Amino acid sequence: MPSPLRNADARPLAAAASSSSSSSPGSPGSPARGGGGGGGGGGGGGGGGGRFEFQSLLGSRAPGADPACARLRAPESPVHRRGSFPLAGAGPSQAPAAALPEEGRMDLNPSFLGIALRSLLAIDLWLSKKLGVCAGERSSWGSARPLMKLLEISGHGIPWLLGTLYCLLRSDSWAGREVLTNLLFALLLDLLLVALIKGLVRRRRPAHNQMDMFVTLSVDKYSFPSGHATRAALVSRFILNHLVLAIPLRVLVVLWAFIVGFSRVMLGRHNVTDVAFGFFLGYAQYSIVDYCWLSPHNARVLFLLWNQQ
């Protein structure tokens, strides 16, 4: 009787085949087939093994299972932002976001004064734009623009300075020279204070203004305060206190001052607050001039100089 064939391990090929068939996935009792070759108990055990392998396969693909995957995917998540809660899979070494400095935080509780100032500024800009009816030739009152520009020249500083110097040189009385000298001092003080405040505040002129003003300087590109309004208030108060005029003329002087100030808003040169503060500043400037009044007693050298000329 011939001997059965043997493999390399000296085992019979039939035994090796039977053992390999019992352990292979294609065997009747394997989990993949779950067939009836292994009986009912073998089929049930095969089904349970297949579910376990399927669950383990899903669990290996879950993003939170591997900490390395979680760390790689954490920056890609739209929820993960600076200052948000850390992810569950992230390592404990993640540092919290640094707090903002005190000056970089937004003030969510502004003061009542700040709200009131912003409201007044918004009202000022809105009212100034509504009253700028002569800002351009195509405005609602554009035909009155030449008249407003004549009022602009009447309140300009250069005509007043040149006129005061001319009258001072032509005057032949001590009283007249005293009044005109103080008027010249008041005009120079007005120019100095207005230029200083404009340079400090640097408020731009309204957007609807046309820069076609009469003889402007470097600081005239700024709006606050109105130099015409300060000069009109200063000169009108000076004239009313040092010139003897009839009542109709005194009324005309006051009306001229107010019309010059209002024309600045109508031409679009200034906002309403610029003119209002200009009136206040011009009124206060006369008080300074009256307190520092120049006379032959406290400025003898100056008056002797004018007398020699």
Side-chain angles (χ1 to χ4, degrees):
M1 180 177 180
S3 62
L5 297 177
R6 298 177 180 273
N7 57 6
D9 297 334
R11 294 178 59 189
L13 290 177
S18 62
S19 62
S20 62
S21 63
S22 62
S23 61
S24 64
S27 61
S30 64
R33 292 186 180 181
R51 286 193 297 270
F52 177 77
E53 290 178 0
F54 185 71
Q55 291 175 359
S56 64
L57 182 61
L58 291 178
S60 64
R61 294 183 180 180
D66 191 1
C69 295
R71 287 194 296 271
L72 289 175
R73 296 187 182 185
E76 301 175 1
S77 175
V79 182
H80 188 74
R81 295 290 184 268
R82 182 179 296 178
S84 62
F85 294 102
L87 295 177
S93 61
Q94 185 178 0
L100 291 174
E102 191 67 27
E103 60 273 8
R105 297 178 182 175
M106 183 183 295
D107 188 10
L108 298 180
N109 188 18
S111 62
F112 176 77
L113 180 60
I115 296 175
L117 289 178
R118 291 184 180 91
S119 302
L120 289 177
L121 179 61
I123 295 173
D124 176 37
L125 296 177
W126 173 81
L127 186 60
S128 302
K129 189 174 182 179
K130 288 292 183 182
L131 294 177
V133 293
C134 299
E137 289 77 6
R138 298 183 179 180
S139 302
S140 57
W141 286 23
S143 58
R145 185 175 172 83
L147 179 60
M148 296 295 109
K149 297 192 74 171
L150 285 177
L151 289 171
E152 180 181 54
I153 296 175
S154 69
H156 200 275
I158 292 180
W160 280 99
L161 285 173
L162 294 179
T164 303
L165 282 173
Y166 177 77
C167 294
L168 183 60
L169 293 175
R170 300 287 297 177
S171 178
D172 55 357
S173 64
W174 284 93
R177 290 176 180 175
E178 180 178 349
V179 172
L180 292 172
T181 300
N182 285 275
L183 179 58
L184 181 63
F185 167 65
L187 293 173
L188 294 176
L189 178 65
D190 173 67
L191 289 176
L192 179 63
L193 289 180
V194 170
L196 180 63
I197 297 175
K198 282 186 176 182
L200 291 175
V201 178
R202 295 173 178 258
R203 185 184 188 184
R204 293 290 179 180
R205 293 188 180 270
H208 54 278
N209 173 47
Q210 297 182 8
M211 292 300 292
D212 55 349
M213 295 180 291
F214 176 76
V215 186
T216 59
L217 300 177
S218 59
V219 294
D220 288 332
K221 62 183 178 181
Y222 301 121
S223 174
F224 185 88
S226 171
H228 285 70
T230 58
R231 196 171 300 110
L234 171 64
V235 170
S236 62
R237 192 180 179 193
F238 191 97
I239 291 175
L240 293 177
N241 282 274
H242 295 283
L243 291 181
V244 180
L245 299 174
I247 294 179
L249 292 178
R250 298 173 72 89
V251 172
L252 286 177
V253 169
V254 175
L255 285 178
W256 168 81
F258 279 103
I259 291 175
V260 166
F262 191 68
S263 67
R264 308 305 292 162
V265 182
M266 296 179 66
L267 282 171
R269 309 292 196 206
H270 293 278
N271 296 309
V272 176
T273 51
D274 303 336
V275 176
F277 185 80
F279 281 141
F280 170 76
L281 182 62
Y283 190 87
Q285 282 176 355
Y286 175 77
S287 300
I288 299 175
V289 173
D290 188 55
Y291 181 80
C292 303
W293 187 263
L294 302 177
S295 65
H297 301 285
N298 55 15
R300 184 181 299 272
V301 177
L302 181 61
F303 283 93
L304 288 176
L305 179 64
W306 287 117
N307 190 22
Q308 291 177 1
Q309 292 178 355

